[in-house]
Amino acid sequence: MIKQFFRNRLKSTERGSIIVLVLLLSIVFTVTGFSLARFAVSQYSLTTKNVSAANATLVAEAGIEQALHELNLDDSFAGHTSEQVFFNSATQGRAVYTTTVVNSGNTRVITATGKAFRYNNTTNPISTRLVKVTAVGTASEGYSVHSGP
């Protein structure tokens, strides 16, 4: 009789513990899943911003290179005041640059602004970068570039 009492007592106390355990594990897994999803979304957003900033910088540098090329062809080149499309594709998005060239005797100050957009978006750039270069002309034939620290 004593054995029967303890068996019934033991079984009746264990019945709800499985449900509590399953409920607690479900909560832990749900919180972990949401945390991982939030982390993935924030990393994607951060990566998108970094890629757009790099694209804008590279496009501005390409504008500088194009302005240097134009200056080698025509000494009176004043820059590209209208936006020049560098790339526009569904995978890369859209990037444009503008350049200005200020003449100061033998020296030219070239300023390029690069902008990176989402694909087919022309109003709100994701990132904008400005690059400024001072170029000093030489009397040598061909191209000559001197750079320093």
Side-chain angles (χ1 to χ4, degrees), residues 62-80 84 97 99 101 108 110 143:
I64 295 287
E65 292 293 327
Q66 184 62 32
L68 285 171
H69 175 73
E70 295 291 334
L71 277 171
N72 283 325
L73 297 176
D74 179 13
D75 197 37
S76 64
F77 178 70
H80 295 102
Q84 304 295 308
Y97 66 87
T99 57
V101 178
R108 306 286 190 278
I110 305 167
Y143 300 110

